[in-house]
Amino acid sequence: MKKVLLLTALLLTTACATTRAVPASLQPARPVAPAELSAPADRPAPALSLFPDLKGDAVHIATAPFHWERSDWAKFGLGLAAIGGAVLLDQELRNVVDRNSGGSVLRVAKAVAPFGAEYSFGVLGAFFLSGEVLKNQKALSVAEDGLASSLIAAGVISPILKVTISRQRPNLAESTFDRDHGGRSFPSGHATQAFAVASVIAAHYDSPWVKVAAYGLAGLVGLARMEQGVHYASDVLAGALIGTAVGNAVVRFNESKRLNISFAPSMNPRSRGAAVMLSLR
């Protein structure tokens, strides 16, 4: 089962990386800037980094609430209300999961859960390698944004909340409100990680099939953690909201930096003036 899921993820990665890839011979010619006319042909390419501005991403996420508008605070309030409602239903949903648990379901859960941990980094690595091989900047951006989002959401925000709230895991608790030193149930780190990566992939690709596949796999990770008895529904929901919010915020922030606007004189003898070029780093 794990091999099937890994193959599915790799196929999704390759499909995303090749989306809208246009052969160089078919790409329209662009105006040539005077500085480029004298540039050496063997100029070394800039060094690549998976997260060249991780500090900037982290600062942007940390200071974002200071710049929120009324609509942003409304979304935040709705998210808190949804989590609060899920907390009230945690025991009922826990009972539903227990009644439908079985050997085959647990095997599926065991195969899916790593996509909220080590497998997710494998997916990002596949995006990076396919982007390098196919010279696809979008795939490279997914790897960069996905890693930054994972480190911020699942590596910083989720652990801080776990320690602060100290909620006991379902398989160790007597009630859904049990708190104990060392409790690490809220929020789900696997769900946070899975949805951080899924939201980045979905934000970079317009295809509805890519979005459904990305979020669908992330949702299965959350269900798997409930099936394994280590998280409540509210834990998963909180992780999903954190991962999605951070992933989308990182993509928007980095896309604004990748968009380059440059001016160059037109080299077309039939016209005069300057050309404006928009390009993604």
Side-chain angles (χ1 to χ4, degrees), residues 20 95 117 136:
R20 298 182 180 178
N95 295 336
N136 188 295

Side-chain angles (χ1 to χ4, degrees), residues 8 21 80 84 99 118 175 182 206-207 222 273-274:
T8 302
L80 288 181
R99 287 196 299 269
E118 63 271 18
S175 73
D206 296 329
S207 170

Side-chain angles (χ1 to χ4, degrees), residues 109 135 163 274:
K135 304 303 178 185
V163 172

Side-chain angles (χ1 to χ4, degrees), residues 137 254-263 276-281:
Q137 179 59 49
N254 286 338
E255 284 300 298
S256 66
K257 295 185 297 182
R258 293 187 184 110
L259 185 63
N260 294 324
I261 303 178
S262 57
F263 297 86
V276 178
M277 295 179 292
L278 299 178
S279 62
L280 290 177
R281 177 175 62 79

Side-chain angles (χ1 to χ4, degrees), residues 50-58 60 141-149 152 200 204 246-260 280-281:
L50 276 178
F51 40 97
D53 192 22
L54 179 58
K55 179 180 178 181
D57 293 333
H60 173 71
S141 296
V142 168
E144 177 184 319
D145 295 344
L147 185 55
S149 300
I152 295 170
V200 167
H204 278 285
V246 171
N248 284 318
V250 167
V251 170
R252 288 195 301 269
F253 179 62
N254 286 338
E255 284 300 298
S256 66
K257 295 185 297 182
R258 293 187 184 110
L259 185 63
N260 294 324
L280 290 177
R281 177 175 62 79

Side-chain angles (χ1 to χ4, degrees), residues 17-28 134-137:
T18 55
T19 301
R20 298 182 180 178
V22 182
S25 59
L26 299 181
Q27 294 179 356
L134 300 173
K135 304 303 178 185
N136 188 295
Q137 179 59 49

Side-chain angles (χ1 to χ4, degrees), residues 100-116:
N100 292 277
S101 181
S104 59
V105 176
L106 285 173
R107 286 193 293 271
V108 172
K110 185 177 180 180
V112 172
F115 280 97

Side-chain angles (χ1 to χ4, degrees), residues 193-260:
Q193 172 76 10
F195 276 89
V197 174
S199 61
V200 167
I201 295 174
H204 278 285
Y205 293 94
D206 296 329
S207 170
W209 296 109
V210 172
K211 297 180 187 296
V212 169
Y215 281 118
L217 183 57
L220 287 176
V221 170
L223 290 175
R225 297 299 283 170
M226 292 176 61
E227 179 64 31
Q228 292 173 331
V230 292
H231 283 297
Y232 294 104
S234 58
D235 302 336
V236 172
L237 178 59
L241 292 177
I242 292 170
T244 301
V246 171
N248 284 318
V250 167
V251 170
R252 288 195 301 269
F253 179 62
N254 286 338
E255 284 300 298
S256 66
K257 295 185 297 182
R258 293 187 184 110
L259 185 63
N260 294 324

